[in-house]
């Protein structure tokens, strides 16, 4: 299916809400859960979820949602996750990805990592404008969501305090180029977020790569409380 046809599938408001809910969970979602989340009947949710899977926007599979196995565990249920494929439409046709990859390749070969990070930090500061540094993780969630990072709060690994949290991001806006040039592009992304969050504030961005997510996390700096 062409990208424009796949994206057109989201025109239906119920279908779009289901897609957005599944995409936001970052895990497999069953039909009952999705139906309850958007307030529709299970049969209607199943129809739309399957349509999204047919369009390549979701991936489907099956597993037992009870967590049990063997006799009496029940039949496997159909589950859905957001598809890994990237969809985009440009009218007229544009190819910014190739341009980005060529520029990244040239920057990497020329050893321009430091210059790129400096430019990215300045761009982050420009995007923040006259606003002061982010005041806390809740504010960072709004800022990052506006930039398409799909942030969510998560308990910090190995934290001494149970309340310690970090912001992780399910989406990397630079994913396609970062796959080919990870050190260069991830470093650029980190610098961009440092500028966007603001220096001297209570938050810091750092590298903490995890498969399928953005390589940067945001947390309270060591000398500040959230």
């Amino acid at each position: 299916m062409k990208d424009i046809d796949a994206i057109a599938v989201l025109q239906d408001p119920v279908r779009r809400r289901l897609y957005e809910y599944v995409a936001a969970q970052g895990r497999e979602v069953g039909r009952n859960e999705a139906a309850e989340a958007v307030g529709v009947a299970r049969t209607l949710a199943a129809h739309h979820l399957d349509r999204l899977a047919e369009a390549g926007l979701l991936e489907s599979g099956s597993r037992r949602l009870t967590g049990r196995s063997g006799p009496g565990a029940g039949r496997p249920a159909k589950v859905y996750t957001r598809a890994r494929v990237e969809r985009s439409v440009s009218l007229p046709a544009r190819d910014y990805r190739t341009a980005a990859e060529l520029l990244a390749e040239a920057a990497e070969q020329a050893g321009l990592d430091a210059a790129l990070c400096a430019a990215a930090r300045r761009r982050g500061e420009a995007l923040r404008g006259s606003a002061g540094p982010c005041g806390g993780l809740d504010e960072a969630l709004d800022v990052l969501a506006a930039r398409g990072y799909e942030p969510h709060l998560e308990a910090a690994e190995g934290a001494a305090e149970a309340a310690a949290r970090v912001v992780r991001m399910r989406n990397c806006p630079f994913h396609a180029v970062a796959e080919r040039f990870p050190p260069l592009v991830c470093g650029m992304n980190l610098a961009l977020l440092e500028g966007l969050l603001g220096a001297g504030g209570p938050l810091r961005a750092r590298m903490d790569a995890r498969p399928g997510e953005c390589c940067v996390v945001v947390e309270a700096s060591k000398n500040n409380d959230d």
Side-chain angles (χ1 to χ4, degrees), residues 114 116-126 188 190-192 194-196:
L116 177 61
C117 287
R121 194 171 288 106
R122 290 194 299 270
R123 176 58 63 91
E125 292 169 352
M188 177 199 75
L190 175 62
L192 177 72
E194 287 174 342
L196 190 63

Side-chain angles (χ1 to χ4, degrees), residues 8 19 35 39 115 118:
Y19 172 79

Side-chain angles (χ1 to χ4, degrees), residues 2-13:
K2 294 181 179 179
D3 284 3
I4 192 168
D5 296 323
I7 293 172
V9 170
L10 295 172
Q11 184 175 1
D12 183 282

Side-chain angles (χ1 to χ4, degrees), residues 34-53:
E36 184 176 350
V38 303
V40 298
R42 182 185 184 279
T43 52
L44 180 60
H47 166 74
H48 285 306
L49 289 166
D50 285 340
R51 184 72 183 91
L52 289 165

Side-chain angles (χ1 to χ4, degrees), residues 22-158:
V22 173
Q25 304 316 302
R27 55 173 173 79
E28 293 177 329
V29 174
R31 288 171 167 176
N32 287 339
E33 178 187 347
E36 184 176 350
V38 303
V40 298
R42 182 185 184 279
T43 52
L44 180 60
H47 166 74
H48 285 306
L49 289 166
D50 285 340
R51 184 72 183 91
L52 289 165
E54 291 170 6
L57 297 172
L58 296 181
E59 294 177 356
S60 63
S62 61
R63 67 176 177 86
R64 288 187 173 90
L65 299 178
T66 61
R68 297 177 297 171
S69 60
R75 297 177 59 186
K78 201 162 187 180
V79 292
Y80 303 84
T81 56
R82 179 167 59 183
R84 289 182 287 268
V85 66
E86 184 177 315
R87 302 281 188 176
S88 63
V89 175
S90 177
L91 298 173
R94 297 288 188 262
D95 190 4
Y96 300 114
R97 175 174 173 175
T98 296
E101 290 178 348
L102 288 170
L103 290 168
E105 182 177 353
E108 189 173 75
Q109 291 179 353
L112 298 177
D113 304 56
L116 177 61
C117 287
R121 194 171 288 106
R122 290 194 299 270
R123 176 58 63 91
E125 292 169 352
L127 290 171
R128 182 164 46 85
S130 60
C134 279
L137 294 180
D138 290 336
E139 184 179 346
L141 286 172
D142 294 334
V143 171
L144 295 168
R147 303 300 307 172
Y149 284 93
E150 299 183 7
H152 64 282
L153 280 173
E154 188 175 289
E157 295 180 3

